[in-house]
Amino acid sequence: MKICVFSDSHGYAGNMIAAIELEKPDLCFFLGDGERDIARVIEEYPDLPVYAVSGNCDFRTELSSTICCEIGGVTIYATHGHLSRVKYDYDLETLTSQAAEAGADIALFGHTHCQQLSESRGITLLNPGSIGRGYYPSYAVMTIENGRCIADLKSI
């Protein structure tokens, strides 16, 4: 299963659409700050499952601040990150603890606009960066097979 992970589109859905055209994912995660943008993606690709959480710039939203789900034998915890202090918690201990409490194998987060792929206490921490306008629009691709996940950081 191929999964695109996006965050922080901030009013610009075009790069998500370009990445979806390029990658042809089976599903997507959107990690907040662009709820209206993800609505455009869903409109463009109605058969593409999208898991989305709210960010600190998503106002009057009905989206949850976190999602925890199992896909292909891998438990994924997703959040924007602002409530996990990801900009201020250098070692991401708050995020790691939240993901561990949820029983997650992978913690997806955004908010910082910087790509990151690391591991803490056996949990993969993945930030796709910002897919919005800017010098370096970026995203991540996860491939899940046989209960294992491989993640790659990419750019448009």
Side-chain angles (χ1 to χ4, degrees):
M1 169 158 306
K2 189 175 195 178
I3 301 168
C4 279
V5 183
F6 304 114
S7 189
D8 297 279
S9 56
H10 292 287
Y12 190 69
N15 285 338
M16 284 190 288
I17 291 169
I20 289 167
E21 284 297 313
L22 177 68
E23 301 291 348
K24 308 284 191 238
D26 298 301
L27 66 90
C28 293
F29 275 89
F30 181 72
L31 306 175
D33 280 2
E35 180 177 6
R36 287 180 284 199
D37 305 328
I38 203 62
R40 183 168 164 221
V41 169
I42 291 168
E43 182 180 299
E44 186 85 17
Y45 303 96
D47 297 327
L48 180 65
V50 175
Y51 294 84
V53 297
S54 64
N56 60 301
C57 294
D58 294 321
F59 304 108
R60 292 185 217 97
T61 182
E62 294 184 17
L63 294 175
S64 174
S65 62
T66 62
I67 293 173
C68 190
C69 58
E70 186 271 327
I71 298 173
V74 175
T75 302
I76 300 169
Y77 177 82
T79 188
H80 181 63
H82 63 296
L83 300 175
S84 304
R85 301 180 38 84
V86 298
K87 281 189 178 179
Y88 309 106
D89 192 359
Y90 177 75
D91 61 2
L92 300 174
E93 183 56 34
T94 301
L95 174 66
T96 301
S97 293
Q98 292 167 337
E101 186 174 310
D105 302 301
I106 299 172
L108 304 178
F109 69 103
H111 191 53
T112 67
H113 294 204
C114 297
Q115 288 184 316
Q116 181 173 344
L117 179 58
S118 60
E119 188 174 313
S120 178
R121 292 196 274 152
I123 298 169
T124 299
L125 307 174
L126 175 61
N127 184 330
S130 173
I131 192 65
R133 293 182 197 151
Y135 179 72
Y136 187 74
S138 59
Y139 64 102
V141 173
M142 299 189 313
T143 305
I144 297 177
E145 291 181 9
N146 302 319
R148 295 184 53 117
C149 181
I150 297 171
D152 292 307
L153 299 174
K154 300 206 172 191
S155 63
I156 294 289

